[in-house]
Amino acid sequence: MRSIRVETSGATVLLTEAPEPKVKDRQTGEIAKDAQSGEVLMRLGVVYIDGGEPSLLQVTLPESGVTEGLALGAPVTLIGLIARPWESVFNGQQRHGIAFRAEAIAPAAISVGAGA
């Protein structure tokens, strides 16, 4: 399916779940790896606020894309964020959703308005 680039420049993104290795198989504990590079994939949670509308997102990114200095509740920048619709059949039921993937995450600078 097609990937859709997500514009983040006008949004506020806050880290809600620290990065941790993404589990591919919960029964065996196998860690997910990028199909092309073989690099370990990480999963983290953010709240994405755009136009006053908040959304909780789970984002996957390569381990090398996790920058030092991340703090829960702090603003972050998601570099190269894309959304990819998916669908599958599990136990005879059709499921669908949107997977989010980024190239990297870094602490964001907080901009202070002129009136502050």
Side-chain angles (χ1 to χ4, degrees):
M1 291 197 160
R2 181 182 169 106
S3 295
I4 303 162
R5 184 157 303 277
V6 178
E7 177 58 47
T8 61
S9 63
T12 299
V13 183
L14 305 173
L15 184 64
T16 59
E17 293 179 41
E20 58 184 43
K22 183 176 181 178
V23 177
K24 180 178 181 179
D25 184 331
R26 293 181 193 190
Q27 292 181 338
T28 66
E30 180 184 1
I31 301 300
K33 295 187 178 182
D34 184 89
Q36 294 177 342
S37 70
E39 187 173 358
V40 170
L41 293 175
M42 305 296 283
R43 185 173 182 215
L44 56 89
V46 297
V47 62
Y48 180 93
I49 307 166
D50 189 19
E53 297 285 329
S55 297
L56 293 172
L57 307 180
Q58 292 291 317
V59 181
T60 300
L61 66 159
E63 188 174 31
S64 63
V66 178
T67 308
E68 294 291 322
L70 299 173
L72 289 179
V76 293
T77 299
L78 291 169
I79 300 158
L81 182 63
I82 60 167
R84 179 176 293 141
W86 61 268
E87 60 182 49
S88 66
V89 176
F90 184 74
N91 287 337
Q93 294 184 332
Q94 187 158 355
R95 302 177 65 191
H96 61 277
I98 299 173
F100 293 92
R101 179 131 181 198
E103 296 170 15
I105 185 172
I110 300 173
S111 60
V112 178

